[in-house]
Amino acid sequence: MTIAPDMTVKPNGAARRHLVMAALIIAAMTVLRIVYAATIELRTDEAYYWTWSKEAALSFLDHPPGIAWFIRFGTAIFGDTTLGVRFGGIVAMLVTQLLLADMVRRLTHDVRAVMLAVLMPEAALYYGLLMAKVAPDVAMIPFAVAMMWSLVRLAQSGDGRWWLAAGLFAGLSLLSKFTAIMFAPAVAAFLLVPDWRWRWLRSPYPYLAVVVAIAVFSPVLIWNAQHDWASFRFQGVRATTNYGISLRTIGDYIGLQFGLVGFILLPVVLSGLTLTAWRGYRRGNAVAILLSTAVIVPFGYFFWKSLTLRVGDTWPMFMWPVGFAAAAINVAMLPREGFPAWMVKSTVAWANAAVVSGLAFVVLVFLYYVVTPWNLIGRADPIGGEAGYEQVVDRAQVELQKIGATWIATTDYRTYAMLRWYFRDRVPVVQINERGRFLGFRDPGMGLIRGHTGLYIAREPDNAIALWDATTAVREPLARVERSWRGIVMDAYALEKLTGWTPELSPPPDSPFYRWRVLAGDILAPRRGGDMAAFASHDPQPLRREF
C-alpha cells in the first residue's frame, strides 16, 4: 500500500476481459436500479425529502440540504416522477464505484482487486439495489468516498493541495448528512500517526482544508443561527438518549448489517479491515490507517449506541464503501506480503463467493418487488408497508369535492409527504403538529386555508390524538379507507371534515404544535422487537427515519 507501479502499463488480454466483464455486470445492475427506481412507489421518507426539494430553505431540522439538492437535480431532468426523485442515487452509485476503482488501482495496480472493489457494492443489497432509494446517506456516500480518494492522492503524491480537495469533499459530505463527522477520527489518525505528522502540522494545507470544509458547510450554520441552532440541539437530544440495554436492538443492528451488506460479504469485509488496521498501525502506513479507522470507529460507535436504542437501517451505510476498498486491497496485498498460499486462496475464494451470492440475492429481491405479485412477508414487508397511498388519495379527492374542502390537514409526516406527492400542491396540505420540521418552509396557501373547510386525514388510531383538545376545531367523521398492498391491508385511515379552526404554521418552540425535542425522543424510542419489529406491531411503518 505504497505508491503504485507505473499505471500507464496497459492490461493484458485476460485483464481486459475481466474489466469488460465487470463493466457489463455494472451496466446490467444499473439498468436494474433504473427499472426499480421507475417502478416502485416512493416510500414515505423519499416523498418527505421530495417536499424539501420544493422549498428554498438553506437547511432543515432533520438533515442538511444535500438530499433536497440531489432530488432537485433528478426532477429537473425527469420531472416529478419516481425516477426523477431517485435519479441522483443512481448517479451517486456510479460515481462511488469510479472513485473506488481508481483508489484501488492506484494502491494495488491489480485488476482483480479493482474488480472486487466495484463489484462488492453491487453484491450488497443496500448499494446494489437500494441506492435507488434516495436518502441523505445516498447523497453523502460519493462525497465521503471522494474525500478518501483525495487523501489517497495526497499520500501518493505528497502534494499538500490535495488537502484542499479533501476539505471540499468533507464539507459536501457534511452538507448531506451530519454523520460524516464520524470520519474525523480516521483523518486525524491519517495525519498524526505516520512519521510525516510534523511535516503536515507545520503546513498550512490541513488548516486550510478545515476552513474550506466549514465554508462549504456554511448554509447549515447560517440556517441554524437563524433558528436557535435547532438542528444541533435536535441531534444532541438523539445523541444523549438512553433507554437501557436491550439485546433486541443489538441483534437488530448486527442483523441489518448482514442483510444490507451481505451474509458472506460482511465477514469478508471485516476480515480485510482487520488486516488493513494491522498493516496500518503496525507499520505506520497512512492509507491503511485511514481506510481501517474510517470503518472501525463508526462501526464501534453504532454498536455502542445499539446497546440502548434502535440504530436505523441506513445509518452505518456511509462507511461500508471504504470497507469494500480495504477488503479489495487486502486481496492484492496478501500474496505480496508472503502470507501462506492456503490463506491467499481461501481469501480469494470467499471474496468471489461473496460477490456471486450477493449479486444473486440482489437480483432475487429485485424480481420479488418488480416482477412477482406475491406478498410473502405480510404487513412486515418494508416496501409494501409504505405502498398503496393512492387508495387514500382517491378517496380523499372524492371527499374534498363532496364537502367543498379546500385544504388537507394531517398529523404525521408520512401522510403529509405522500399527500403532497400525489396532489402535487394542487391542494394545500398541512401537518398541524411537529411544526419544527417545517422551519423556513414557504406559505402552503393560507388563502385557501383560513376560514375554509378542511379535510383531516390520519391513520387510525392516531387520528384521535389529544392535541386536538387544544384547538377550536370541529371534526365530523366522513369515511374510513384501507391502504393495502398485494392483497394485504397495511393500514386504515380516518377522513374527517374539519371546520372552525386555522392551523398555526410557525408556533413558538414551547408550543405543543412544535415539539422537536419530544419528536427526537419518539424517533429513537425502542419498540417491541426493535426497528424491524415495528412493522409487525400496531405501527406497520417502522420508525426508522434516516437521521
Side-chain angles (χ1 to χ4, degrees), residues 503-522:
E504 186 177 0
L505 299 183
S506 300
D510 59 351
S511 166
F513 293 95
Y514 187 90
R515 292 172 61 89
W516 67 263
R517 181 172 292 275
V518 177
L519 174 63
D522 287 346

Side-chain angles (χ1 to χ4, degrees), residues 88-366:
I90 294 168
V91 174
M93 176 67 170
L94 293 173
V95 171
T96 299
Q97 288 172 296
L98 286 173
L99 290 167
L100 290 175
D102 190 61
M103 188 189 311
V104 174
R105 177 181 70 91
R106 291 177 177 278
L107 293 169
T108 69
H109 205 56
D110 187 300
V111 171
R112 177 179 57 186
V114 173
M115 284 187 61
L116 285 174
V118 296
L119 293 182
M120 281 181 177
E122 298 288 4
L125 179 61
Y126 181 81
Y127 307 95
L129 184 63
L130 299 183
M131 278 286 278
K133 172 188 178 291
V134 291
D137 313 81
V138 169
M140 178 177 69
I141 286 169
F143 295 129
V145 174
M147 180 184 70
M148 297 295 167
W149 173 81
S150 300
L151 294 175
V152 168
R153 297 296 303 272
L154 168 70
Q156 289 192 320
S157 67
D159 187 342
R161 289 174 295 182
W162 283 107
W163 278 112
L164 304 182
L168 169 65
F169 292 123
L172 291 170
S173 299
L174 285 169
L175 207 56
S176 302
K177 194 171 184 181
F178 293 136
T179 47
I181 196 66
M182 290 188 187
F183 282 143
V187 177
F190 171 81
L191 170 67
L192 299 174
V193 174
D195 293 337
W196 66 12
R197 68 180 71 88
W198 294 115
R199 173 194 173 187
W200 292 125
L201 287 175
R202 290 191 293 264
S203 168
Y205 285 112
Y207 309 103
L208 289 174
V210 174
V211 173
V212 170
I214 292 173
V216 174
F217 186 60
S218 61
V220 176
L221 298 176
I222 294 170
W223 183 90
N224 273 275
Q226 294 171 341
H227 295 95
D228 196 26
W229 307 101
S231 290
F232 300 119
R233 295 170 62 200
F234 180 86
Q235 298 297 334
V237 171
R238 300 176 56 256
T240 56
T241 300
N242 189 319
Y243 290 100
I245 294 177
S246 168
L247 294 178
R248 286 196 178 115
T249 53
I250 299 171
D252 282 348
Y253 171 61
I254 299 300
L256 282 168
Q257 303 320 296
F258 275 103
L260 294 177
V261 177
F263 292 98
I264 300 177
L265 184 55
L266 181 64
V268 167
V269 173
L270 290 176
S271 63
L273 282 166
T274 301
L275 287 172
T276 302
W278 174 79
R279 291 186 190 98
Y281 286 96
R282 185 167 182 254
R283 302 174 184 175
N285 185 295
V287 172
I289 290 169
L290 174 71
L291 298 182
S292 60
T293 309
V295 181
I296 292 171
V297 169
F299 183 82
Y301 172 80
F302 285 123
F303 179 81
W304 171 62
K305 296 303 289 185
S306 76
L307 298 177
T308 58
L309 52 82
R310 292 177 296 106
V311 173
D313 53 354
T314 69
W315 297 0
M317 290 300 111
F318 69 94
M319 65 186 181
W320 291 120
V322 181
F324 297 149
I329 292 168
N330 180 64
V331 169
M333 295 303 297
L334 288 178
R336 301 178 191 181
E337 296 174 336
F339 279 82
W342 67 266
M343 185 175 179
V344 175
K345 184 177 179 181
S346 175
T347 301
V348 172
W350 280 110
N352 291 338
V355 169
V356 172
S357 62
L359 287 171
F361 179 63
V362 171
V363 172
L364 286 175
V365 173
F366 167 80

